[in-house]
Amino acid sequence: LEGFVQDGRVEDADDLRTLLETYLCNQVGTADLVALRAAHAAAVADNLDGIRYADRRLAAVTLAAEFRESAERSGARLLSLQRDLGTGPLLERYAAHVEDVDAPGHHAAVLGAAAVVAGVDERPACLVCCHGFVTGLLGAGQRLLSLGHTDVQRVLDDLRPAIRDAVEDSATRTLDGMTSFTPLVD
């Protein structure tokens, strides 16, 4: 986002909304949420290998190193929190693989598995993922663009259809059909 602001590609709330819609449509819904759903399904089946596979596939299609690193840091924090809460053997085993660098620990995969442990269904977990993604970038945009609180809330409200579309689109995809197409971002 900072690069887009510096290059003059994102100058106001409308530009920020457009950028976030692009992320939701071409990265979050087509890759992150697909991995989240696969990790969720694998966790329901207590299938650690399935979680790790979803995690690795997502890392493979996330081209920008900065996004991979950020998602892995977020995933590590979420996994650490879940372990501190004592959420059970599945996440403990998964965390051991992340620590051994046998799985990247991408945030979306961790969230999918953690949602199962918390009793959160797949679709609400996808909505949580989208909301967290969008609000994080809106916060950064608010600081970088000096946007007011009302502007940020308006963009968040305007993004509801894009969030809904991303969640719905992800339901029809498989890990093998996972894609990420954000060339300007990448």
Side-chain angles (χ1 to χ4, degrees), residues 27 31 56-64 178-180 186:
Q27 167 65 40
R56 287 193 299 267
R57 286 284 295 152
L58 182 55
V61 300
T62 305
L63 300 180
M178 185 187 304
T179 63
S180 172
D186 295 339

Side-chain angles (χ1 to χ4, degrees), residues 91-133:
L91 290 181
E92 284 293 332
R93 293 190 332 259
Y94 179 36
H97 283 276
V98 172
E99 288 171 359
D100 291 342
V101 195
D102 185 39
H106 198 287
H107 182 263
V110 174
L111 180 58
V116 170
V117 173
V120 176
D121 290 334
E122 190 176 273
R123 187 173 194 285
C126 289
L127 292 168
V128 165
C129 184
C130 287
H131 187 268
F133 175 80

Side-chain angles (χ1 to χ4, degrees), residues 7-8 14 18-19 22 29 73-74 102 105 111 120 169 185:
D7 290 346
D14 289 335
T18 300
L19 177 64
T22 300
R73 279 192 307 273
S74 297
D102 185 39
L111 180 58
V120 176
D169 180 56
V185 173

